[in-house]
Amino acid sequence: MTGRTVIIVGGGWAGCAAALSAAMAGAETRLFEKTDMLLGAGLVGGIMRNNGRYTAAEEALRMGGGGELFQATDEVARHVDVKFPGHSHASLYDVAKVEPLVREHLTDAGVDIQTMRRIVGLTMNEDSLSALVDEDGDVILGDVFVDATGTSGPMGACVRHGNGCVMCIQRCPAFGGRVSITGRSGVRELMATKGPDLPGAMSGSGKLNRESLSPGLIRTLDESGVAIVPLPEELTQLEKLASKPCQQYALPEYADNIVLLDTGHVKLMTSYFPLDQLRTIEGFENARFEDPYAGGKGNSIRFTAIAPRNHVLQVNGRPNLFCAGEKAGVYVGHTEAIVTGMLAGHNAARYLRNRELLEMSTDTAIGELLARGCEALLTPEGLAESQTLAGSVLFERLRKKNLYTTDSSVIDERIERTGLWRKFSRPL
Ligand SMILES: Cc1cc2nc3c(=O)[nH]c(=O)nc-3n(C[C@H](O)[C@H](O)[C@H](O)COP(=O)(O)OP(=O)(O)OC[C@H]3O[C@@H](n4cnc5c(N)ncnc54)[C@H](O)[C@@H]3O)c2cc1C
């Protein structure tokens, strides 16, 4: 192997973490993002550190590399130690402040960030990728590649499996739809299902414009970060819970109430809510959606294109292609994207140096996420299960294995014992 460059496609949380890890491991790193901003779905999320995500964030901070992105989200948190139904010790980052900060971190680490560069093709040398091609026909040479293109959209998927293009933060009509590097390389991708007639999954939350809500609701949100408004019986929404990817929020409390969280915009914890119905509720008389713009009608469809891969995040049959974030499993969440990105970027740099690829110990919450997420891809039942550290089956498993903790001395000892202390922040 003579090459030097790691190319990352997709600048969501997964791609940003992969880029930071690869650069910190000493690789020349280039990041290609089709829109004008980094962070993808992370531009409208905000919930961090809830349930098992707390443990994973603390583990990642001790490992270094992409894990340092958790410092950025902590730095712009509007609320910390928030409790809401089924969730403890959450922090809520400010969605308006986080992107420039992440961009600065990546630039400082030496990552060459290329926004408004949509990758649409590639060339191969036998089983390996040798170059990418962008929308303008420019050829980008590289040695190792990370597919962090996510699974949102493109518009066709939202039309086919959802309620149409709802004009979400991915902004496909303006910047072009998602193009999968794994798919373009000829690998057959996997699709998550929420039932025989429900391929993919509809995103589980939207954002309301703050100023459109009543002063009383805004005061509650400013004070505690959370507002819970009981729904009249005729507006409860049990049936919507089944189609959400965020199984950690598929609890009756989310069907019987409107749960709002303050992330800068006001996060509405349901896939969509018809505006005329929403406006009948006290405090929401003037409500309007901020993301997706058609949040009264539907939400983006995700998880229709997942890469089959191994435990070190190498795409099956493509030795120099790694994957991370939603691309690497039915992984729901920023934390899940960051920690898989960390490993993908680090292993891409290892591949470049002919070093043995790192498999994360399952004595860590992150290792458990990586291993279970990989196994789940092998069966239809697994593909019907969301993998998130914040709830559902994986969080249960963390509890059973005593991996879920908020005790920093336990996490210190765990990361020392597994040999992962600052592992991702040292040049190889
Ligand atoms: C509305 C919504 C709210 C959410 N809220 C939360 C939350 O509060 N907390 C939480 O933990 N999780 C939340 N999630 C889930 C979480 O945001 C995602 O699971 C995670 O951020 C996915 O990260 P990713 O990097 O894998 O993918 P994405 O964020 O989708 O990033 C993929 C990136 O790749 C780019 N791209 C695609 N194709 C190409 C190409 N060919 N060339 C160049 N660039 C390309 C896209 O433009 C995009 O920026 C939310 C998701 C949604 C949709």
Side-chain angles (χ1 to χ4, degrees):
M1 187 97 26
T2 54
R4 297 162 47 240
T5 312
V6 173
I7 307 273
I8 292 146
V9 187
W13 276 120
C16 288
L20 205 49
S21 269
M24 288 173 95
E28 188 178 310
T29 307
R30 306 188 74 195
L31 173 62
F32 290 81
E33 162 56 43
K34 73 179 169 72
T35 72
D36 53 359
M37 280 196 273
L38 298 177
L39 295 189
L43 289 165
V44 290
I47 308 175
M48 304 294 283
R49 291 182 173 271
N50 45 334
N51 297 347
R53 287 176 180 160
Y54 186 99
T55 313
E58 288 296 317
E59 288 179 356
L61 280 164
R62 286 158 178 77
M63 294 177 195
E68 287 166 14
L69 291 172
F70 291 105
Q71 265 162 10
T73 57
D74 285 348
E75 224 173 284
V76 293
R78 290 174 71 87
H79 301 274
V80 295
D81 207 9
V82 175
K83 210 168 161 31
F84 56 95
H87 296 260
S88 299
H89 48 69
S91 63
L92 306 175
Y93 69 68
D94 192 319
V95 291
K97 293 190 177 151
V98 71
E99 196 264 355
L101 193 61
V102 169
R103 205 181 263 256
E104 197 180 303
H105 271 282
L106 264 57
T107 305
D108 289 350
V111 176
D112 172 20
I113 303 172
Q114 300 273 324
T115 47
M116 297 186 62
R117 299 282 304 271
R118 178 167 171 255
I119 306 302
V120 294
L122 51 85
T123 55
M124 296 193 49
N125 184 0
E126 297 182 348
D127 288 344
S128 294
L129 279 66
S130 50
L132 303 175
V133 183
D134 76 4
E135 212 158 27
D136 297 327
D138 289 337
V139 174
I140 301 138
L141 297 176
D143 305 287
V144 191
F145 301 81
V146 178
D147 184 350
T149 53
T151 62
S152 295
M155 275 169 66
C158 297
V159 171
R160 228 179 359 266
H161 307 302
N163 300 345
C165 170
V166 289
M167 291 170 276
C168 77
I169 193 67
Q170 303 284 359
R171 297 166 289 160
C172 302
F175 294 106
R178 170 183 58 80
V179 175
S180 166
I181 305 310
T182 303
R184 279 286 190 271
S185 80
V187 172
R188 198 191 162 119
E189 294 178 291
L190 304 165
M191 196 186 263
T193 53
K194 293 282 159 216
D197 298 324
L198 287 171
M202 187 177 276
S203 297
S205 69
K207 291 282 199 297
L208 293 170
N209 176 286
R210 243 176 106 79
E211 281 67 41
S212 72
L213 302 183
S214 72
L217 275 178
I218 295 302
R219 214 168 21 253
T220 308
L221 285 164
D222 282 344
E223 282 164 8
S224 64
V226 192
I228 298 176
V229 182
L231 277 170
E233 203 174 326
E234 67 276 13
L235 294 186
T236 54
Q237 14 179 22
L238 259 179
E239 79 292 348
K240 266 197 241 161
L241 295 182
S243 62
K244 288 172 81 146
C246 326
Q247 288 302 296
Q248 68 274 28
Y249 308 122
L251 306 170
E253 288 92 326
Y254 293 87
D256 297 340
N257 301 287
I258 291 186
V259 180
L260 301 176
L261 300 174
D262 173 25
T263 60
H265 299 314
V266 176
K267 191 174 171 82
L268 173 72
M269 301 296 285
T270 187
S271 296
Y272 61 97
F273 208 118
L275 196 61
D276 52 349
Q277 293 178 12
L278 187 62
R279 286 182 171 180
T280 62
I281 301 164
E282 193 184 337
F284 296 86
E285 293 84 351
N286 301 313
R288 60 174 284 178
F289 281 93
E290 198 72 47
D291 174 84
Y293 272 124
K297 188 180 171 204
N299 214 318
S300 51
I301 294 291
R302 308 196 338 254
F303 298 108
T304 55
I306 301 166
R309 50 88 174 177
N310 62 18
H311 284 266
V312 293
L313 292 173
Q314 223 168 6
V315 174
N316 290 354
R318 298 285 173 264
N320 71 340
L321 178 61
F322 293 80
C323 60
E326 292 187 2
K327 192 46 103 183
V330 195
Y331 284 136
V332 179
H334 309 326
T335 304
E336 292 74 0
I338 294 172
V339 300
T340 53
M342 269 169 75
L343 185 67
H346 184 78
N347 272 340
R350 281 181 170 263
Y351 185 87
L352 207 59
R353 302 263 190 278
N354 270 334
R355 299 274 287 270
E356 191 185 341
L357 302 178
L358 182 75
E359 186 171 335
M360 196 81 86
S361 165
T362 50
D363 285 346
T364 62
I366 297 177
E368 194 63 26
L369 170 85
L370 281 151
R372 297 288 80 78
C374 188
E375 281 161 22
L377 297 180
L378 303 175
T379 62
E381 297 75 37
L383 283 166
E385 240 168 38
S386 301
Q387 302 291 327
T388 169
L389 296 150
S392 194
V393 279
L394 187 70
F395 185 44
E396 273 316 304
R397 199 174 160 87
L398 295 187
R399 283 177 186 276
K400 267 198 198 115
K401 282 190 73 180
N402 272 334
L403 286 171
Y404 164 57
T405 179
T406 56
D407 183 332
S408 53
S409 61
V410 172
I411 301 171
D412 281 347
E413 184 279 325
R414 174 186 300 173
I415 301 304
E416 281 281 11
R417 174 169 41 83
T418 51
L420 291 166
W421 194 271
R422 309 307 296 161
K423 184 85 177 174
F424 295 82
S425 45
R426 291 191 295 265
L428 292 168

